[in-house]
Amino acid sequence: MSEHVRARLLAGNRAHVESRPAGYFDEVQEEQHPAAVSICCADSRVSQEGMFDVDGPGWLFTPSNIGNQAWDVVDGQKVVNGNLLYPIEYTGTRTIAVVGHTGCGAVTAAYHAGTGSSHSHPSGIAKWIDTLGSVVADGLEAVDTDADEATVVNRLVEYNVDRQVAFLQEAEAIPDDVSVYGFVYDLHGAYDGPRGRTYLVNDDGETDPAAVRAALDEGDEEYAQRLTS
């Protein structure tokens, strides 16, 4: 089976190379100045370039990890994740998108840990589940949990996005002129709209959908929705 996957990878790259026009990399081959950095959940169903329809190199910087966490832990202290910080520090990027998604496995695992139904994970995974655990524990106090598990998890996904945005806004490493937006990518139709839409649940700290809606361009108002108040 692995040989078939290897062949698929090579075939995919061949198609990629053959579909690029001449000069495709010319503008970015020496340096990059991405307009935005998107910290997203490491999930095969969530394509960062795909969800924002990015079809060229150099526009979007795309780190990801388990649970779209904006931090890392160094010497016992939370610091801005270096993969996210790099374009802010070195390429002039001034827009951050924090992107969670419905049905997030990391949030689900942290939810199970917080409700006593968890199981052990390899240490490299457990690190990220553990750092997400305190967020979910606080979220269980803040969101309405009188619902089925899938609904509660999706509310916690929003809560996690809000916490990541707040962390970045408060971090000394992030300059004041950087804007931070929080999105939830809807795989499941949880927001009663088309699947694949990224809902703007946090507009640089503003979480009231009416206020977010008022700040958007005409025609974009449908993107300002939340599952939690």
Side-chain angles (χ1 to χ4, degrees), residues 36-183:
V37 52
S38 170
I39 183 75
C40 191
C41 188
D43 189 299
S44 65
R45 302 167 296 176
V46 183
S47 166
Q48 298 193 68
E49 290 90 349
M51 73 173 69
F52 295 118
D53 196 29
V54 176
D55 58 4
W59 194 87
L60 186 66
F61 201 93
T62 56
S64 59
N65 60 43
I66 296 171
N68 49 273
Q69 297 179 64
W71 50 56
D72 204 342
V73 178
V74 176
D75 297 328
Q77 300 294 320
K78 281 184 177 178
V79 299
V80 177
N81 186 297
N83 298 295
L84 185 159
L85 185 59
Y86 183 89
I88 301 298
E89 187 74 16
Y90 297 115
T91 72
T93 303
R94 286 297 178 265
T95 300
I96 300 172
V98 177
V99 186
H101 67 92
T102 58
C104 178
V107 173
T108 301
Y111 168 76
H112 287 164
T115 55
S117 57
S118 65
H119 61 82
S120 61
H121 303 280
S123 58
I125 297 173
K127 166 191 170 180
W128 294 103
I129 301 301
D130 290 346
T131 55
L132 197 57
S134 61
V135 174
V136 168
D138 290 344
L140 288 171
E141 298 294 326
V143 307
D144 182 3
T145 58
D146 186 19
D148 60 274
E149 178 176 304
T151 299
V152 173
V153 165
N154 289 336
R155 291 169 180 167
L156 292 171
V157 165
E158 275 191 0
Y159 184 83
N160 178 45
V161 168
D162 288 340
R163 287 285 294 269
Q164 305 300 324
V165 170
F167 170 78
L168 290 169
Q169 290 181 314
E170 295 166 5
E172 291 184 4
I174 303 297
D176 291 340
D177 63 342
V178 172
S179 296
V180 187
Y181 304 117
F183 296 91

Side-chain angles (χ1 to χ4, degrees), residues 102 154-155 157-158 183-186 188-194 197 199 201 223-228:
T102 58
N154 289 336
R155 291 169 180 167
V157 165
E158 275 191 0
F183 296 91
V184 174
Y185 183 66
D186 189 3
H188 301 83
Y191 290 77
D192 295 326
R197 178 175 285 166
Y199 288 93
V201 299
Y223 284 88
Q225 292 190 44
R226 287 182 66 90
L227 299 176
T228 56

Side-chain angles (χ1 to χ4, degrees), residues 23-34 56-59:
Y24 181 76
F25 294 104
D26 287 356
E27 291 186 8
V28 296
Q29 66 183 9
E30 302 299 336
E31 59 184 13
Q32 60 171 327
H33 298 286
W59 194 87

